[in-house]
DNA sequence: CACATTTCAGATGTTAATATCCGAATTTGA
DNA sequence: TCAAATTCGGATATTAACATCTGAAATGTG
């Protein structure tokens, strides 16, 4: 897996929020609703989204009509940031063979090629903003659910 | 992590074997020696290499002067095959968001871009033969150990 | 104010990956 | 033939990821 399950859930939830029409609730959607809509475990998703809230990607409100909402415009939140918040930056800066201190001076056999690849992945994640992903969802050309 | 720890161990061991000079032992090296040389757990490495043996990437001999050796020429064994043997082909054919049946007809928001990326990774792994990797090791331009 | 709804925080349970251990089977060499 | 070295196969222990549960804190509504 390139992302942990928690991270995948986070991404799906964030795209869902970005694609959700601004309804009542001042833009907030309850985590329970998100979980049901995407077929995810409410409790597990809650834990994950709490981290996103702590990291400033989501804002939250308690109480009735509360819920979570994007803390910033969808165009300014990228997949890279979500992955970083949940899984950390290992994918971006760790040696594929797990060698500590793998770098230009003391590289592993895959170093050069993997550094290039990592950069590509980082670029992809960076330009994958919630705005871009959510647009496809709203257009119906793409799905977020399993079935 | 893009590869499991077991898989990383397998790759490092295989490259080490490919780079090892043909000494006595008819080309076989004991797993204990490999583990010590690379700083890996002997028992854990044994389990992993058994899988490679079962899948025909390694051949093994028991008894004194026994050990493991590449089952085929180093130029004909690629990283792709090793990863496939230990971790399976999930990296190559699974949706990055874990959606079942993600494909052209019912794609996830990352589908197109990720398919392209997966293909690139597969190409890199395929052209990374043990011969190529081991040459760099023998030339000393590259390392397999942590320290 | 009382109540229902929701996120928050921490505890607990479950499963899969990682790591170790042990005895059996095989082979070599003295 | 016997002892040592080695892989093999299965069992067990440890750790981290995944998942669930419970009660507290906050907040809107009647």
């Amino acid at each position: 897996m390139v992302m942990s399950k928690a991270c995948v859930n986070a991404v799906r939830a964030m795209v869902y929020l970005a694609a959700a029409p601004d309804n009542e609730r001042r833009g907030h959607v309850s985590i329970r609703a998100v979980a049901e809509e995407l077929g995810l475990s409410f409790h597990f998703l809650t834990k994950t989204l709490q981290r996103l809230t702590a990291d400033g990607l989501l804002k939250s409100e308690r109480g009735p009509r509360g819920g979570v909402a994007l803390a910033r415009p969808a165009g300014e939140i990228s997949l890279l940031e979500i992955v970083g918040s949940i899984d950390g930056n290992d994918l971006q800066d760790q040696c594929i063979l797990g060698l500590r201190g793998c770098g230009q001076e003391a590289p592993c056999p895959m170093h050069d090629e993997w550094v290039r690849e990592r950069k590509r992945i980082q670029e992809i994640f960076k330009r994958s903003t919630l705005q871009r992903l959510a647009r496809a969802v709203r257009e119906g050309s793409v799905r977020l659910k399993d079935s």
Side-chain angles (χ1 to χ4, degrees), chain A residues 5-70:
Chain A
K5 209 160 181 183
C7 188
V8 165
N9 286 0
V11 170
R12 289 171 64 191
M14 291 292 274
V15 176
Y16 177 82
L17 288 173
D22 263 13
N23 45 14
E24 341 57 268
R25 286 191 179 231
R26 312 194 219 84
H28 288 75
V29 181
S30 81
I31 298 176
R32 173 153 267 124
V34 176
E36 277 170 9
E37 201 59 47
L38 297 179
L40 304 177
S41 149
F42 164 66
H43 289 293
F44 190 42
L45 182 62
T46 295
K47 276 267 162 287
T48 306
L49 296 193
Q50 276 173 12
R51 164 59 65 100
L52 293 180
T53 303
D55 286 353
L57 303 197
L58 284 178
K59 57 187 174 186
S60 66
E61 293 281 346
R62 299 195 199 185
R65 319 223 119 236
V68 292
L70 301 185

Side-chain angles (χ1 to χ4, degrees), chain A residues 53-129:
Chain A
T53 303
D55 286 353
L57 303 197
L58 284 178
K59 57 187 174 186
S60 66
E61 293 281 346
R62 299 195 199 185
R65 319 223 119 236
V68 292
L70 301 185
R72 285 177 276 138
E76 296 174 14
I77 302 178
S78 70
L79 216 142
L80 184 64
E81 209 175 346
I82 301 171
V83 173
S85 171
I86 304 298
D87 281 348
N89 297 113
D90 279 9
L91 182 64
Q92 301 310 322
D93 48 42
Q94 240 215 324
C95 168
I96 192 175
L97 292 187
L99 296 196
R100 278 171 311 186
C102 178
Q104 217 38 256
E105 340 73 50
C108 82
M110 293 295 296
H111 180 74
D112 288 351
E113 236 159 350
W114 189 246
V115 164
R116 228 176 302 131
E117 203 54 27
R118 269 187 336 206
K119 238 171 230 158
R120 283 185 60 91
I121 294 174
Q122 183 162 9
E123 289 304 326
I124 290 177
F125 283 8
K126 197 179 296 177
R127 72 164 171 269
S128 295
T129 64

